[in-house]
Amino acid sequence: MPQKRVAAIHDISGFGKCSLTVALPIISAAKIETAVIPTAVLSTHTGGFTGYTFRDLTEDILPIAKHWKSENLKFDGIYTGYLGSKEQVGLVKETINLLKDENTLIVVDPVMGDHGRLYAGFSSDFPKEMLTLCKEAHIIVPNFTEAAFMLGEEYLEPPYTKEYVENLIKRLAATTGAQVVLTGVCFKKNEIGASVYKNGEIFHYITNREDAVFHGTGDVFASALTAALLSDKTVFDAAKIAVDFTVLCIKKTLAENGDRRYGVNFESCLFDLIKALE
Protein backbone atom coordinates (compact mmCIF):
# COMPACT_ATOMS: atom_id res chain seq x y z
CA MET A 1 0.00 0.00 0.00
CA PRO A 2 1.43 3.44 -0.92
CA GLN A 3 2.15 5.88 1.88
CA LYS A 4 -0.70 8.27 2.58
CA ARG A 5 -0.23 12.01 2.27
CA VAL A 6 -1.96 14.95 3.98
CA ALA A 7 -1.68 18.68 3.32
CA ALA A 8 -1.63 20.65 6.58
CA ILE A 9 -2.57 24.33 6.26
CA HIS A 10 -1.71 26.23 9.46
CA ASP A 11 0.52 28.98 10.80
CA ILE A 12 3.90 28.07 12.31
CA SER A 13 5.37 29.39 15.55
CA GLY A 14 9.12 29.00 15.91
CA PHE A 15 8.67 28.41 19.64
CA GLY A 16 5.61 27.20 21.55
CA LYS A 17 4.03 23.92 20.56
CA CYS A 18 0.96 24.53 18.41
CA SER A 19 -0.22 24.59 14.79
CA LEU A 20 2.34 23.16 12.36
CA THR A 21 4.98 22.34 14.98
CA VAL A 22 2.35 20.02 16.46
CA ALA A 23 0.58 18.80 13.32
CA LEU A 24 3.72 17.83 11.40
CA PRO A 25 5.30 15.52 14.01
CA ILE A 26 2.05 13.97 15.23
CA ILE A 27 0.75 13.07 11.79
CA SER A 28 4.21 12.00 10.62
CA ALA A 29 4.47 9.66 13.62
CA ALA A 30 1.43 7.86 12.19
CA LYS A 31 3.56 7.10 9.08
CA ILE A 32 1.62 9.65 7.01
CA GLU A 33 3.54 12.03 4.75
CA THR A 34 2.74 15.57 5.86
CA ALA A 35 3.09 18.40 3.35
CA VAL A 36 2.63 21.89 4.75
CA ILE A 37 1.32 25.27 3.62
CA PRO A 38 2.32 27.85 6.26
CA THR A 39 -0.15 30.73 6.50
CA ALA A 40 2.12 32.85 8.72
CA VAL A 41 5.43 32.58 10.58
CA LEU A 42 5.72 33.80 14.18
CA SER A 43 8.68 33.77 16.55
CA THR A 44 6.39 32.41 19.29
CA HIS A 45 2.70 31.79 19.57
CA THR A 46 0.59 34.64 20.96
CA GLY A 47 -0.61 33.01 24.19
CA GLY A 48 1.32 34.59 27.04
CA PHE A 49 4.24 35.91 25.00
CA THR A 50 4.82 39.55 24.07
CA GLY A 51 7.03 41.19 21.45
CA TYR A 52 6.74 38.26 19.04
CA THR A 53 7.48 38.63 15.35
CA PHE A 54 4.81 37.94 12.73
CA ARG A 55 5.16 37.46 8.99
CA ASP A 56 1.96 37.12 6.97
CA LEU A 57 2.17 34.53 4.17
CA THR A 58 -1.28 35.11 2.69
CA GLU A 59 0.17 35.83 -0.75
CA ASP A 60 2.00 32.47 -0.80
CA ILE A 61 -0.95 30.16 -0.08
CA LEU A 62 -2.42 29.87 -3.56
CA PRO A 63 0.92 29.87 -5.46
CA ILE A 64 2.07 26.90 -3.34
CA ALA A 65 -1.16 25.05 -4.05
CA LYS A 66 -0.92 25.80 -7.78
CA HIS A 67 2.65 24.52 -7.87
CA TRP A 68 1.59 21.31 -6.18
CA LYS A 69 -1.25 20.98 -8.67
CA SER A 70 1.19 21.44 -11.57
CA GLU A 71 3.28 18.60 -10.12
CA ASN A 72 0.15 16.40 -10.05
CA LEU A 73 0.49 15.76 -6.33
CA LYS A 74 -2.34 13.74 -4.79
CA PHE A 75 -3.58 14.08 -1.22
CA ASP A 76 -5.45 11.59 0.94
CA GLY A 77 -6.32 14.39 3.36
CA ILE A 78 -6.34 18.17 3.74
CA TYR A 79 -6.27 19.47 7.31
CA THR A 80 -6.73 23.16 8.12
CA GLY A 81 -6.32 25.03 11.40
CA TYR A 82 -5.77 28.66 12.44
CA LEU A 83 -6.36 31.14 9.62
CA GLY A 84 -5.62 34.76 10.38
CA SER A 85 -8.09 36.57 8.15
CA LYS A 86 -11.21 36.29 6.04
CA GLU A 87 -8.98 36.56 2.99
CA GLN A 88 -7.07 33.46 4.08
CA VAL A 89 -10.32 31.56 4.56
CA GLY A 90 -11.25 32.29 0.95
CA LEU A 91 -7.81 31.27 -0.32
CA VAL A 92 -7.91 28.02 1.64
CA LYS A 93 -11.31 27.19 0.12
CA GLU A 94 -9.72 27.71 -3.30
CA THR A 95 -6.76 25.55 -2.26
CA ILE A 96 -9.01 22.70 -1.10
CA ASN A 97 -10.95 22.69 -4.34
CA LEU A 98 -7.72 22.80 -6.34
CA LEU A 99 -6.03 19.89 -4.56
CA LYS A 100 -8.83 17.53 -3.56
CA ASP A 101 -10.25 14.64 -5.50
CA GLU A 102 -13.17 12.34 -4.75
CA ASN A 103 -11.10 10.39 -2.20
CA THR A 104 -9.59 13.31 -0.25
CA LEU A 105 -10.68 13.63 3.39
CA ILE A 106 -11.19 17.29 4.38
CA VAL A 107 -10.74 18.04 8.10
CA VAL A 108 -11.34 21.62 9.29
CA ASP A 109 -10.47 22.78 12.78
CA PRO A 110 -12.21 26.21 12.88
CA VAL A 111 -9.69 27.78 15.24
CA MET A 112 -10.90 31.25 16.25
CA GLY A 113 -11.80 31.37 19.95
CA ASP A 114 -12.21 29.72 23.33
CA HIS A 115 -13.86 30.34 26.70
CA GLY A 116 -16.57 32.48 25.09
CA ARG A 117 -14.23 34.92 23.33
CA LEU A 118 -12.81 35.26 19.85
CA TYR A 119 -9.03 35.34 19.64
CA ALA A 120 -7.39 38.74 19.22
CA GLY A 121 -7.63 40.13 15.71
CA PHE A 122 -10.89 38.46 14.72
CA SER A 123 -13.95 40.61 14.04
CA SER A 124 -17.43 39.57 15.12
CA ASP A 125 -18.31 38.50 11.57
CA PHE A 126 -15.37 36.10 11.26
CA PRO A 127 -17.35 33.04 12.49
CA LYS A 128 -19.72 33.41 9.52
CA GLU A 129 -16.72 33.31 7.19
CA MET A 130 -15.27 30.27 8.94
CA LEU A 131 -18.64 28.57 8.60
CA THR A 132 -18.26 28.73 4.81
CA LEU A 133 -14.99 26.80 5.10
CA CYS A 134 -16.64 24.21 7.37
CA LYS A 135 -19.15 23.58 4.60
CA GLU A 136 -16.25 22.34 2.46
CA ALA A 137 -15.27 19.75 5.09
CA HIS A 138 -16.12 16.14 5.73
CA ILE A 139 -15.24 16.51 9.42
CA ILE A 140 -15.09 19.65 11.57
CA VAL A 141 -13.52 19.93 15.04
CA PRO A 142 -14.93 22.97 16.87
CA ASN A 143 -14.93 23.72 20.57
CA PHE A 144 -18.06 25.13 22.23
CA THR A 145 -17.11 28.75 21.61
CA GLU A 146 -16.56 28.13 17.92
CA ALA A 147 -19.69 26.01 17.57
CA ALA A 148 -21.91 28.56 19.25
CA PHE A 149 -20.49 31.53 17.35
CA MET A 150 -20.81 29.80 13.98
CA LEU A 151 -24.48 29.20 14.79
CA GLY A 152 -24.89 32.85 15.84
CA GLU A 153 -25.57 31.96 19.47
CA GLU A 154 -24.23 32.98 22.86
CA TYR A 155 -21.58 30.82 24.46
CA LEU A 156 -22.68 28.88 27.54
CA GLU A 157 -20.33 27.97 30.37
CA PRO A 158 -19.83 24.26 31.23
CA PRO A 159 -20.87 21.82 32.51
CA TYR A 160 -23.48 20.98 29.87
CA THR A 161 -26.53 18.79 29.68
CA LYS A 162 -26.58 15.97 27.14
CA GLU A 163 -29.65 17.58 25.61
CA TYR A 164 -27.78 20.84 24.98
CA VAL A 165 -24.69 19.10 23.57
CA GLU A 166 -26.68 16.86 21.26
CA ASN A 167 -28.90 19.69 20.06
CA LEU A 168 -25.86 21.88 19.35
CA ILE A 169 -23.98 19.20 17.48
CA LYS A 170 -27.00 18.20 15.38
CA ARG A 171 -27.67 21.80 14.33
CA LEU A 172 -24.03 22.34 13.45
CA ALA A 173 -24.02 19.17 11.35
CA ALA A 174 -27.21 20.26 9.59
CA THR A 175 -25.77 23.71 8.91
CA THR A 176 -22.42 22.52 7.54
CA GLY A 177 -23.25 19.11 6.10
CA ALA A 178 -20.15 17.76 7.89
CA GLN A 179 -19.56 15.16 10.55
CA VAL A 180 -18.89 16.98 13.83
CA VAL A 181 -16.33 16.23 16.53
CA LEU A 182 -17.13 18.67 19.35
CA THR A 183 -14.33 19.19 21.89
CA GLY A 184 -14.40 20.40 25.48
CA VAL A 185 -17.46 18.32 26.36
CA CYS A 186 -18.19 17.89 30.05
CA PHE A 187 -21.35 16.84 31.82
CA LYS A 188 -19.80 17.19 35.29
CA LYS A 189 -17.24 19.65 36.64
CA ASN A 190 -14.21 17.33 36.61
CA GLU A 191 -14.85 15.73 33.22
CA ILE A 192 -13.56 16.42 29.71
CA GLY A 193 -14.03 14.72 26.39
CA ALA A 194 -15.53 14.91 22.94
CA SER A 195 -18.85 14.20 21.25
CA VAL A 196 -19.21 12.92 17.69
CA TYR A 197 -22.16 13.18 15.32
CA LYS A 198 -22.21 11.09 12.15
CA ASN A 199 -25.23 10.13 10.07
CA GLY A 200 -27.68 10.52 12.95
CA GLU A 201 -25.53 8.65 15.47
CA ILE A 202 -24.06 10.40 18.53
CA PHE A 203 -21.08 9.15 20.52
CA HIS A 204 -19.78 10.70 23.75
CA TYR A 205 -16.34 9.88 25.10
CA ILE A 206 -15.62 11.42 28.50
CA THR A 207 -12.64 11.05 30.82
CA ASN A 208 -11.25 12.74 33.94
CA ARG A 209 -10.22 16.37 33.58
CA GLU A 210 -6.86 17.67 34.77
CA ASP A 211 -6.98 21.05 36.50
CA ALA A 212 -4.75 22.81 33.97
CA VAL A 213 -4.95 24.79 30.75
CA PHE A 214 -2.16 24.54 28.18
CA HIS A 215 -1.77 26.37 24.89
CA GLY A 216 -1.93 24.13 21.83
CA THR A 217 -3.92 21.20 23.20
CA GLY A 218 -6.65 21.79 20.62
CA ASP A 219 -4.03 21.37 17.90
CA VAL A 220 -2.74 18.21 19.57
CA PHE A 221 -6.28 16.80 19.63
CA ALA A 222 -7.15 17.71 16.04
CA SER A 223 -3.81 16.45 14.73
CA ALA A 224 -4.17 13.12 16.54
CA LEU A 225 -7.74 12.87 15.25
CA THR A 226 -6.57 13.49 11.69
CA ALA A 227 -3.78 10.93 12.05
CA ALA A 228 -6.27 8.35 13.31
CA LEU A 229 -8.79 9.06 10.54
CA LEU A 230 -6.10 8.66 7.88
CA SER A 231 -5.04 5.44 9.62
CA ASP A 232 -8.50 4.10 8.71
CA LYS A 233 -10.04 4.46 12.16
CA THR A 234 -13.73 5.33 12.37
CA VAL A 235 -14.51 8.88 13.46
CA PHE A 236 -15.77 7.45 16.78
CA ASP A 237 -12.56 5.51 17.44
CA ALA A 238 -10.45 8.45 16.21
CA ALA A 239 -12.12 10.80 18.71
CA LYS A 240 -11.42 8.37 21.57
CA ILE A 241 -7.78 8.02 20.54
CA ALA A 242 -7.41 11.81 20.29
CA VAL A 243 -8.97 12.43 23.72
CA ASP A 244 -6.78 9.81 25.40
CA PHE A 245 -3.63 11.10 23.71
CA THR A 246 -4.32 14.74 24.60
CA VAL A 247 -5.05 13.91 28.25
CA LEU A 248 -1.89 11.78 28.43
CA CYS A 249 0.17 14.69 27.08
CA ILE A 250 -1.32 17.01 29.71
CA LYS A 251 -0.60 14.54 32.54
CA LYS A 252 2.98 14.09 31.34
CA THR A 253 3.55 17.85 31.24
CA LEU A 254 1.98 18.43 34.65
CA ALA A 255 4.29 15.82 36.15
CA GLU A 256 7.26 17.79 34.82
CA ASN A 257 5.88 21.09 36.16
CA GLY A 258 6.94 22.98 33.03
CA ASP A 259 5.96 26.45 31.83
CA ARG A 260 2.39 26.15 30.58
CA ARG A 261 2.96 28.74 27.87
CA TYR A 262 5.28 26.32 26.12
CA GLY A 263 2.57 23.72 25.37
CA VAL A 264 2.45 20.05 26.25
CA ASN A 265 5.16 17.41 26.01
CA PHE A 266 3.46 15.46 23.25
CA GLU A 267 6.81 14.18 21.97
CA SER A 268 7.21 11.85 24.94
CA CYS A 269 3.75 10.40 24.27
CA LEU A 270 4.05 9.71 20.54
CA PHE A 271 4.86 6.03 21.10
CA ASP A 272 1.53 5.71 22.94
CA LEU A 273 -0.26 7.25 19.98
CA ILE A 274 1.47 4.89 17.57
CA LYS A 275 0.40 1.93 19.72
CA ALA A 276 -3.20 3.19 19.78
CA LEU A 277 -3.21 3.42 15.98
CA GLU A 278 -2.07 -0.18 15.45
Side-chain angles (χ1 to χ4, degrees), residues 17 41 49 56 58 79 144 165-166 176 196 234 254-255 272:
K17 291 180 260 191
V41 178
F49 293 100
D56 189 333
T58 298
Y79 162 41
F144 277 86
V165 171
E166 294 181 0
T176 62
V196 179
T234 68
L254 283 173
D272 298 273

Side-chain angles (χ1 to χ4, degrees), residues 190-192 206-210 247 251:
N190 296 318
E191 294 180 342
I192 196 68
I206 308 297
T207 188
N208 292 330
R209 182 190 191 105
E210 299 296 326
V247 170
K251 287 181 177 179

Side-chain angles (χ1 to χ4, degrees), residues 58-209:
T58 298
E59 293 183 357
D60 296 300
I61 294 172
L62 208 51
I64 292 171
K66 288 179 176 178
H67 182 217
W68 288 357
K69 182 69 173 180
S70 73
E71 294 290 339
N72 198 33
L73 298 178
K74 304 296 182 183
F75 295 91
D76 298 281
I78 299 174
Y79 162 41
T80 76
Y82 179 91
L83 303 174
S85 66
K86 289 188 286 186
E87 182 183 1
Q88 286 196 349
V89 172
L91 290 170
V92 169
K93 286 191 289 185
E94 287 188 60
T95 295
I96 289 171
N97 286 299
L98 192 66
L99 297 178
K100 74 177 183 179
D101 61 28
E102 64 276 8
N103 298 314
T104 307
L105 177 70
I106 313 298
V107 180
V108 171
D109 183 1
V111 181
M112 57 183 158
D114 206 356
H115 306 294
R117 298 183 300 275
L118 290 174
Y119 294 139
F122 288 137
S123 60
S124 59
D125 61 347
F126 188 80
K128 289 184 179 179
E129 192 69 25
M130 183 59 79
L131 184 64
T132 68
L133 179 59
C134 288
K135 292 179 179 179
E136 302 286 335
H138 297 108
I139 297 173
I140 61 173
V141 196
N143 60 33
F144 277 86
T145 299
E146 293 152 354
F149 286 4
M150 284 194 291
L151 291 172
E153 300 178 2
E154 289 187 13
Y155 167 77
L156 299 182
E157 293 285 346
Y160 305 105
T161 65
K162 282 191 176 181
E163 180 183 17
Y164 172 72
V165 171
E166 294 181 0
N167 182 262
L168 185 72
I169 203 170
K170 285 177 182 178
R171 285 185 289 117
L172 195 56
T175 302
T176 62
Q179 299 170 33
V180 181
V181 179
L182 183 64
T183 65
V185 177
C186 67
F187 302 119
K188 297 178 183 178
K189 185 177 180 180
N190 296 318
E191 294 180 342
I192 196 68
S195 295
V196 179
Y197 184 78
K198 177 184 178 182
N199 299 333
E201 186 176 358
I202 295 179
F203 166 80
H204 304 291
Y205 182 70
I206 308 297
T207 188
N208 292 330
R209 182 190 191 105

